[in-house]
């Protein structure tokens, strides 16, 4: 694992496997005017000076999780679902993701008390039908840690769907061992949502591990962040989503970028995102087309695009959240 802290205080981490997917060596790689690598693999991993530029439009807590935290590391934005941030660790600290700036105190895996609190919460809230296990990347934990968490979820006497959100099969395919596949299989109903942004990430090693998970009866979905200079072209996304579908992975979400600090250079103007999505709609079948969505700035959950657009006010889009609240999302240059 390559690991250090940048001059700006943000952590860098990438696996040698991830870096091997790039078309050139990280050192001295070609970079654009913002200092961001041109190669889509390196662009997601290597820090750049552009991260030092924060905008007044950006938010420290872009998803408004603090206001929806029901107990340590557990966020509830919807009646039927709860999100558990199992760990702050990742195999890759993606440069577009605000989780790269988590505090050291948030990096460890959930302890016994937090896991017990989760099973008690689920027992007391029968309306919760789904637990999203996110992070960081939950598959950075050991099999024993994951088993303890999944056993706690399964201790409630009703079926609860478990959703594991991870980049591990893409970033470190070796983590998907036969033992891990068996463990996940044991805790079905369980689905895995893979974060994948570019066709270059679909390595032979990744596809082999994805097939192992599918063979074990674990459904796979993908989520993709629309990223400037990385995948903001219809032909790239068409290749990505059609290939995923052929491999049995359902393209689930295409996300408009969050307003995370120091990530403006990755965000695609919403007007362009809408035009790209329109091009995808024309070309992709219903099975291949993910939903385009944005997390409501400051909380309120997911807003589907273009359906959630309520109007425009100067340089801001007005977006309807499912709870009826209106949120502003900037139209950036
Ligand atoms: S939480 Fe996911 S997207 Fe964010 S840095 Fe970690 S692996 Fe990347």
């Amino acid at each position: 694992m390559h690991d250090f802290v940048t001059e700006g205080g943000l952590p860098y981490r990438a696996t040698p496997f991830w870096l091997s997917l790039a078309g050139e060596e990280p050192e001295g790689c070609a970079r654009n005017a913002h200092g961001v690598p041109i190669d889509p693999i390196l662009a997601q991993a290597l820090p750049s000076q552009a991260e030092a530029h924060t905008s007044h439009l950006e938010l420290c807590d872009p998803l408004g999780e603090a206001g929806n935290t029901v107990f340590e590391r557990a966020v509830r934005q919807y009646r039927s679902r709860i999100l558990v941030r199992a760990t702050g660790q990742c195999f890759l600290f993606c440069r577009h993701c605000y989780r790269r700036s988590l505090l050291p105190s948030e990096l460890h895996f959930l302890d016994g008390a937090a896991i017990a609190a989760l099973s008690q919460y689920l027992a007391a809230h029968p309306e919760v039908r789904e637990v999203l296990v996110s992070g960081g990347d939950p598959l950075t934990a050991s099999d024993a840690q994951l088993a303890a968490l999944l056993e706690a979820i399964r201790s409630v006497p009703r079926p609860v769907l478990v959703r594991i959100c991870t980049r591990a099969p893409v970033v470190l395919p070796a983590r998907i061992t036969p033992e891990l596949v068996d463990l996940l299989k044991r805790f079905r109903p369980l689905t895995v949502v893979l974060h994948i942004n570019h066709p270059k990430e679909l390595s032979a090693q990744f596809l082999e591990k994805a097939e192992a998970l599918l063979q074990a009866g674990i459904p796979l979905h993908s989520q993709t962040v629309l990223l400037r200079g990385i995948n903001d072209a219809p032909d790239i996304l068409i290749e990505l989503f059609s290939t995923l579908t052929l491999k049995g992975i359902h393209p689930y979400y295409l996300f408009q970028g969050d307003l995370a600090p120091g990530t403006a250079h990755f965000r695609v103007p919403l007007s362009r995102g809408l035009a790209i999505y329109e091009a995808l709609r024309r070309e992709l079948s219903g099975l291949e087309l993910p939903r385009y969505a944005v997390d409501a700035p400051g909380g309120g959950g997911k807003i589907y695009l273009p359906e959630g657009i309520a109007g425009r006010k100067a340089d801001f889009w007005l977006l309807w959240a499912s709870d009826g609240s209106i949120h502003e999302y900037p139209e950036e240059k």
Side-chain angles (χ1 to χ4, degrees):
M1 199 89 73
H2 300 241
D3 216 343
F4 63 82
V5 175
T6 67
E7 276 174 29
L10 293 172
Y12 161 83
R13 180 177 293 164
T15 60
F17 180 80
W18 175 264
L19 297 175
S20 77
L21 302 175
E24 60 184 322
E25 290 300 317
E27 224 161 283
C29 66
R31 294 181 180 250
N32 67 18
H34 297 285
V36 179
I38 307 286
D39 182 278
I41 296 293
L42 297 181
Q44 293 182 65
L46 301 188
S48 70
Q49 73 251 21
E51 292 180 14
H53 300 293
T54 51
S55 141
H56 67 285
L57 300 168
E58 295 175 337
L59 308 165
C60 291
D61 179 15
L63 275 51
E65 291 185 338
N68 291 306
T69 296
V70 285
F71 57 92
E72 188 194 349
R73 310 269 202 91
V75 178
R76 190 162 172 203
Q77 281 182 323
Y78 305 96
R79 186 174 183 277
S80 62
R81 280 154 279 170
I82 188 166
L83 180 141
V84 179
R85 298 202 329 253
T87 174
Q89 295 292 351
C90 300
F91 294 115
L92 169 70
F93 284 127
C94 309
R95 305 325 297 174
H96 60 273
C97 175
Y98 72 102
R99 303 266 192 234
R100 78 201 191 297
S101 57
L102 283 179
L103 300 171
S105 60
E106 298 175 273
L107 292 179
H108 66 275
F109 192 76
L110 293 174
D111 59 20
I115 290 176
L118 174 61
S119 60
Q120 283 160 17
Y121 188 88
L122 291 176
H125 293 272
E127 71 280 11
V128 176
R129 300 192 302 272
E130 186 171 341
V131 179
L132 282 73
V133 181
S134 177
D137 192 321
L139 296 190
T140 54
S142 68
D143 288 3
Q145 287 172 314
L146 286 170
L149 173 59
L150 295 171
E151 271 158 16
I153 296 170
R154 285 283 167 261
S155 70
V156 296
R158 65 176 189 279
V160 173
L161 179 64
V162 175
R163 189 192 311 193
I164 306 263
C165 305
T166 179
R167 293 202 90 173
V170 177
V171 174
L172 187 64
R175 175 66 185 97
I176 313 303
T177 60
E179 293 76 23
L180 178 64
V181 174
D182 282 349
L183 187 153
L184 297 178
K185 182 178 178 180
R186 197 150 54 85
F187 289 100
R188 288 179 301 167
L190 179 149
T191 186
V192 171
V193 178
L194 302 158
H195 180 156
I196 305 176
N197 294 330
H198 194 278
K200 281 180 107 169
E201 299 172 33
L202 307 179
S203 65
Q205 294 90 329
F206 160 70
L207 292 172
E208 184 188 315
K209 301 299 184 175
E211 180 61 20
L213 290 164
L214 289 168
Q215 289 289 336
I218 297 166
L220 300 182
H221 301 266
S222 70
Q223 55 188 30
T224 297
V225 182
L226 186 60
L227 294 167
R228 187 194 294 232
I230 293 176
N231 61 12
D232 57 337
D235 57 338
I236 294 174
L237 293 172
I238 288 166
E239 182 186 345
L240 177 63
F241 298 140
S242 60
T243 308
L244 286 168
T245 308
L246 279 173
K247 300 298 180 187
I249 302 165
H250 170 234
Y252 181 40
Y253 275 126
L254 172 65
F255 283 119
Q256 177 66 21
D258 295 329
L259 300 174
T263 62
H265 54 292
F266 283 129
R267 282 194 297 275
V268 176
L270 184 49
S271 59
R272 251 195 86 226
L274 290 166
I276 290 170
Y277 192 62
E278 189 49 41
L280 298 181
R281 249 195 229 266
R282 283 196 295 271
E283 179 63 27
L284 295 172
S285 74
L287 287 176
E288 296 168 322
L289 183 72
R291 294 202 78 166
Y292 184 31
V294 62
D295 277 297
K302 294 209 171 17
I303 297 174
Y304 296 124
L305 300 167
E307 307 89 293
I309 295 175
R312 256 312 266 276
K313 192 174 81 181
D315 289 338
F316 288 87
W317 294 86
L318 303 177
L319 306 174
W320 285 111
S322 57
D323 62 1
S325 57
I326 293 272
H327 298 257
E328 293 188 349
Y329 187 95
E331 169 70 11
E332 295 175 288
K333 296 272 182 286

